Amino acid sequence: MTDRPKTILHVLGARPNYMKIAPIVEALRAYPDVGQLLVDTGQHYDEAMAGVFLKEFGLPEPDVNLNVGSGSHAAQTAKVMIGLETVCLERQPDLVNVVGDVNSTMAAAIVAAKLRIPVAHVEAGLRSFDRAMPEEVNRVVTDRLADILFTPSPDADANLLAEGAAPQSIHRVGNVMIDTLLRFLPVATLDRMRGRFPLERGRYAVVTLHRPSNVDDPEVFRRLLDVVKEIGRRMPVVYPVHPRTRVQMGRLGLDFDAPGLLLAEPLGYIDFLSLTANARIVLSDSGGLQEESTALGIPCLTLRENTERPATVTHGTNRVVGTNPATILAAFDEWLARPPARNCPELWDGHTAPRIAAVLHRHVTGG
Ligand code: UD1
């Protein structure tokens, strides 16, 4: 009698998950004795927020789509839990691999932990220490339940140890997003974008905003928009608008018509990388963009009060500037006059996924 082949179930939920899962799926192909199951929760569902990434990264069509869609935090989390529990009971995976900090990440970790299926968390240990951020709650819960904690930087290890995680469960493997970035950087040329935006290398800014704390609060959103318009007077600003932000723009009747401001729909990965890799500066409230700009050596101003990614500040090109217009504009001028030195954190080297795959393989095969 032969043993059932071991299976790792990966959870894809929202846009920032794709660039983290893709290199891990690829690296695990080096281990033919382990099967892989891809579950898309459907937290993000638009072509521009989900489908485009499957194609760009050459990911297989997900084996299962839970089609949970948008909803309140409780509704979305509950739908992922109900759907994934059925999948886990039917397919009996040997390990559930989750990435990042979206609602689908936490929901999947809870389901797997209750079914006594080992959980691996990629991007473990990041903390903003700000529980007003839904992602912080997701990070804390997921890490508490995970059996294997893959961290990107020493601060993450320290956070986990301070919370009582077992040292042997922590594996510092580096930043898996940078694997994807380095893979696609050679094709991310500004020429791809020239037909759409009249841009010159190093002479424009890129802006993204989608955090509820920034776009759901009308006063903060208006304030940030004024700063973006002011920057547009100094250099062209490309601003791909997240669906949450688009909804809010309509609701508040905000005027986005301003000189130098180039609004766009959400972009695919390679198009967006083409923009950021060739920009003078990036202004954003995104988590991933802080890391990507650090790896690219492009100055980044983070329009939040805190960051869960301090290595991008201590080692990289990031500066956390909050949402006060005067502070943002002063930092903008300073960063242009004296761009930060690039010093990518250790292990953000494009080889994180093979390190993860080796640990996962060892864990499921007992090797
Ligand atoms: C989610 C993640 C956030 C991540 C972000 C990246 C949580 C708590 N938040 O936030 O960490 O940085 O994804 O995008 O998991 N919508 C669409 N089409 C879609 C998806 C969403 O139109 O494909 C619209 C809907 O109006 C929805 C809104 O965007 O209500 C917000 O989507 P949701 O997934 O709830 O949160 P995000 O803001 O995208």
Side-chain angles (χ1 to χ4, degrees):
M1 201 179 92
T2 53
D3 283 342
R4 193 177 64 85
K6 302 294 182 189
T7 304
I8 294 174
L9 185 156
H10 304 281
V11 179
L12 271 176
R15 180 168 67 172
N17 294 160
Y18 290 84
M19 53 295 274
K20 297 168 193 170
I21 292 280
I24 301 173
V25 168
E26 179 60 33
L28 276 168
R29 291 198 176 117
Y31 301 95
D33 54 336
V34 172
Q36 305 190 63
L37 196 62
L38 199 54
V39 176
D40 184 347
T41 67
Q43 174 174 345
H44 284 176
Y45 41 84
D46 285 347
E47 177 62 18
M49 297 295 286
V52 62
F53 301 109
L54 280 180
K55 295 186 194 98
E56 284 188 302
F57 300 146
L59 275 164
E61 269 304 307
D63 299 279
V64 182
N65 194 324
L66 303 178
N67 291 313
V68 303
S70 299
S72 70
H73 285 271
Q76 199 170 56
T77 305
K79 282 188 194 161
V80 174
M81 288 181 66
I82 293 166
L84 192 69
E85 187 182 54
T86 306
V87 175
C88 285
L89 289 170
E90 280 171 5
R91 307 286 190 116
Q92 304 271 317
D94 299 281
L95 184 141
V96 170
N97 179 41
V98 298
V99 297
D101 55 15
V102 301
N103 285 344
S104 300
T105 308
M106 178 189 69
I110 296 173
V111 168
K114 291 213 167 187
L115 292 173
R116 311 293 298 131
I117 301 168
V119 177
H121 182 208
V122 176
E123 206 180 88
L126 300 187
R127 295 290 180 270
S128 65
F129 303 101
D130 175 3
R131 294 272 170 106
M133 239 186 131
E135 292 81 2
E136 181 74 354
V137 177
N138 294 341
R139 289 190 280 262
V140 168
V141 173
T142 304
D143 284 341
R144 200 73 189 88
L145 298 175
D147 303 270
I148 304 175
L149 297 156
F150 290 117
T151 61
S153 45
D155 56 283
D157 297 21
N159 291 334
L160 292 168
L161 291 170
E163 291 172 10
Q168 65 274 19
S169 65
I170 301 171
H171 302 263
R172 179 140 31 100
V173 288
N175 191 326
V176 78
M177 281 184 78
I178 308 307
D179 289 24
T180 300
L181 183 143
L182 294 177
R183 175 180 163 200
F184 287 100
L185 197 53
V187 291
T189 62
L190 196 54
D191 279 346
R192 283 176 72 91
M193 308 308 289
R194 283 236 173 76
R196 271 195 268 177
F197 307 109
L199 299 172
E200 284 179 62
R201 188 161 201 273
R203 295 185 167 214
Y204 64 92
V206 173
V207 168
T208 78
L209 288 169
H210 76 283
R211 294 262 156 241
S213 57
N214 281 341
V215 303
D216 288 1
D217 180 329
E219 206 220 295
V220 177
F221 193 21
R222 280 203 181 92
R223 200 160 76 207
L224 288 174
L225 188 55
D226 286 343
V227 176
V228 172
K229 287 178 179 171
E230 178 55 38
I231 289 172
R233 287 190 198 103
R234 302 176 190 194
M235 63 173 65
V237 176
V238 189
Y239 180 3
V241 182
H242 185 279
R244 170 191 282 282
T245 315
R246 180 74 71 183
V247 169
Q248 194 62 357
M249 283 175 171
R251 198 177 285 150
L252 300 176
L254 294 177
D255 175 16
F256 275 76
D257 197 14
L261 190 51
L262 305 163
L263 292 197
E265 294 304 309
L267 297 171
Y269 182 83
I270 302 174
D271 282 350
F272 190 61
L273 181 59
S274 306
L275 281 180
T276 50
N278 293 289
R280 179 73 184 270
I281 188 163
V282 169
L283 297 95
S284 176
D285 59 8
S286 153
L289 203 40
Q290 298 172 51
E291 298 178 338
E292 289 166 335
S293 50
T294 276
L296 292 166
I298 303 287
C300 173
L301 297 179
T302 293
L303 309 182
R304 289 171 41 191
E305 303 303 332
N306 50 50
T307 180
E308 61 288 334
R309 292 161 159 91
T312 62
V313 176
T314 53
H315 289 69
T317 57
N318 185 25
R319 183 154 161 191
V320 181
V321 291
T323 62
N324 177 290
T327 313
I328 297 169
L329 289 171
F332 177 83
D333 288 335
E334 207 182 303
W335 243 209
L336 289 200
R338 282 188 299 109
R342 176 187 184 196
N343 179 13
C344 211
E346 210 190 333
L347 298 176
W348 294 25
D349 58 0
H351 303 293
T352 291
R355 291 189 278 265
I356 291 174
V359 174
L360 293 178
H361 179 258
R362 218 168 40 235
H363 191 91
V364 293
T365 59

